[in-house]
Every structure is written in structure tokens, then in C-alpha cells.
Amino acid sequence: MKKNLLLLYLMLALSIPTFAQADKPSMMVIPDIAWFVRNNYVTEHNNNGKVQRIPNYTKAFEENSDVKEAIATLGELFQQRGFELTSLEETLSSQDQEDALEIGMAADGYGDETNMGVADQILNQYKPDIKLTVDWQTSEIGFQKALRVTVRALDSYTNKQIGNLTNTTPPMARSAFLADMIKQSVSAGFDNLTNNMMTYFQGLQSKGREVRMSVRVTANSSVTLFDQIGDDRLNMVLQKWVRQHSINGTGNTAGSPSRARMNFQNIRIPLTDQYGQKMTAYEWATNEGLEAYLKSLGVSARVDENGIGSITVRIGAN
């Protein structure tokens, strides 16, 4: 009996460190677009007649000390829970600003524009599993002030929301530091947020990472998606390829395909490549040889990356 109890004790003791050291998602804390707009740190860009507001990250970090304090405070809270954090400020300092602000890339024929903003370029380079957007706003209450903080956890690859919290501090002295106010504001829902993040990440580990793929036929293409390529139409050739190269045959079409376009969603891919490195959607398509496969069928095509979790296959492009 004593021997059995001792064995059980040893098993439990050995299992505790394993649980404590369980893999946790990597993340990056980014100010929410609402904060940039409210504080006039945006650059307007005309995208085919639609005005886009692009956050000016470098200017915000250079001129507004609250940005550094807010991101550092929130990042520290997550690091204390064992999460891997990539510093936005450090990545910006190593990013060439002129290249980072080049967001318009003309598309071929029927294709849409490919937009790669500063945040997308940084996400592509560092591949965090989760991006945390934070918005904060101070309100005056007599001789005191209160802080409202909103934190959203998003899948970096799909922008799907994983969890969020919004809290307002009780009135505090006007001399209160922003860092202290943020800590008090997020304390109530912080455990729930981190639990949601861990549950979501464990789901990615078991089911694979989700990415999207769109297909566009260019104006100068000699084939459409409804043309016969061997035994199947081109749209069916692409559908079969996606299912053969995704985890468990995942990847369904969103809506009905036309002669010039089709979209795939819910494609599940491995979290890492054969070398243990995290993959973007573009790297997955490249590693699996999508371009080469289409060209072997006599179909000219090019794979463009739209962001960390999205690609566009341009039929007829070189």
C-alpha cells in the first residue's frame, strides 16, 4: 500500500513541472486603430477611391510617451504569466520606414490590390500567434480621473477574436501613473483573457493553424477557372490541391466560384515547417509547391502574400 502511494506521489510530482512548462503562444501588443485615429496618428491612403487610415507607428512612438508605457505595462503582465512577447517598438526601429509605408501593390486584371501595411509586415517577419490590441482613454471626473481600457486578443493569421476585456478604473488622483491605472483596469478580467488565449492556442496545436487563400484570374490569362485542365475544371483542380495539402483535408470554398475568382477559407496548416520554424500562408503554399504544380499543368500562376495568414493565387500572372 505504502509503495503504491509513493508511486502515485512521484507521478504527480513529475507531472506538475510538465503542466507548468506547457507551450504558450507568442504575442505582440499593438495599439488599437481607435487610439491612433483619436490621437491623430494616422496617414490617409487612397485605395481605388476608398480612403484607408494607416496608423503611423513610428510617429506615435516618437511623440507620445503613453504608447511606450501602455504597451510595456501590458506586455509585462503577460510575460509574468510566461507568454513569449515580441516588442513592437524594437521591431519598428529595425524596420525601414520608407519600405514599411509602401502599402499599395497593383493587382493584375481581375485581382484585388494586395495591401501590406506596417503591422502586416511586422507580423509576417516575427509571426506571433496572437496580437493584442489595446485602446485606452482617460476621462476627467472633478479633481480626479478614470481610465477605460479595452484589450482584444486576435489570431494574427485570421484576425478572429479570441477574447477581450473592457474595464474602467474607479476615480483616481490626477497624479496617478498610466501604468498603475492600466494594471488596475485589466486585473478583473485578466485571468479569463489568458485562459481563453491558452484554450485557443491548444486548439491550434491539435487542429492546425487557419489560413485563407483567394484565387483571381488576370485579364491576360489564357484560361479561366471553368476551363478544363486534364480531367477537371481548374476550380476543381485547385480545390483538390488544397484538400490534399491541408491538415485532414480542410479548406472549403466561400460562396460559389466564378470564371475569374474563388475563395478558400478554414484551411488548416501545420504550425511549423520541417525545420520547426513558424510558417505563414505564403510559406505553406511555397513549401507545398503550389506554383510549380500549376505550371506543370500548363497553367501560369503566381502566389502573392496579402498578410501573415492570407495569399492570393493569380492565374495568368508570371
Side-chain angles (χ1 to χ4, degrees), residues 109-241:
Y110 295 103
D112 299 328
E113 274 203 342
T114 300
N115 295 320
M116 287 281 285
V118 179
D120 283 329
Q121 293 187 35
I122 291 173
L123 292 175
N124 258 33
Q125 183 178 355
Y126 292 93
K127 306 179 183 69
D129 300 301
I130 295 172
K131 64 178 179 180
L132 290 155
T133 65
V134 55
D135 184 24
W136 65 97
Q137 190 170 14
T138 304
S139 57
E140 302 291 335
I141 306 174
F143 294 102
Q144 295 179 304
K145 64 181 181 180
L147 183 73
R148 180 180 175 84
V149 178
T150 298
V151 180
R152 293 193 305 150
L154 305 169
D155 184 317
S156 295
Y157 285 66
T158 63
N159 267 335
K160 287 185 176 180
Q161 183 164 298
I162 301 166
N164 72 293
L165 68 84
T166 300
N167 288 321
T168 303
T169 65
M172 302 174 71
R174 287 193 175 184
S175 59
F177 292 110
L178 176 61
D180 294 333
M181 298 183 77
I182 289 177
K183 289 177 182 178
Q184 180 160 342
S185 178
V186 304
S187 60
F190 197 73
D191 285 341
N192 186 53
L193 178 61
T194 55
N195 288 338
N196 286 343
M197 290 165 57
M198 281 302 302
T199 299
Y200 185 84
F201 183 64
Q202 288 163 359
L204 294 183
Q205 290 179 311
S206 62
K207 295 184 293 186
R209 199 184 299 282
E210 185 178 338
V211 297
R212 300 183 302 274
M213 184 177 96
S214 60
V215 182
R216 299 293 182 265
V217 179
T218 64
N220 59 348
S221 175
S222 60
V223 296
T224 73
L225 291 173
F226 289 170
D227 284 345
Q228 201 77 9
I229 304 295
D231 296 331
D232 294 303
R233 286 181 171 184
L234 181 54
N235 66 307
M236 291 304 301
V237 170
L238 288 161
Q239 187 168 315
K240 288 180 179 180
W241 185 93

Side-chain angles (χ1 to χ4, degrees), residues 63 68 100 106 118 189 305:
E63 297 181 358
K68 297 180 181 181
V118 179
E305 59 180 335

Side-chain angles (χ1 to χ4, degrees), residues 7-8 16 25 39 94 137 237 298 307:
L7 180 61
L8 177 62
I16 291 174
N39 291 276
S94 64
Q137 190 170 14
V237 170

Side-chain angles (χ1 to χ4, degrees), residues 271-286:
L271 270 65
T272 59
D273 61 18
Q274 66 268 37
Y275 303 108
Q277 300 299 311
K278 290 181 181 179
M279 284 194 296
T280 65
Y282 177 80
E283 289 166 339
W284 163 73
T286 301

Side-chain angles (χ1 to χ4, degrees), residues 30-42 53-57 67 133-137 148-152:
I30 300 174
D32 193 271
I33 182 63
W35 184 90
F36 285 100
V37 172
R38 193 167 56 248
N39 291 276
N40 297 315
Y41 288 113
V42 291
R53 290 174 170 175
I54 310 301
N56 193 327
Y57 292 89
V67 180
T133 65
V134 55
D135 184 24
W136 65 97
Q137 190 170 14
R148 180 180 175 84
V149 178
T150 298
V151 180
R152 293 193 305 150

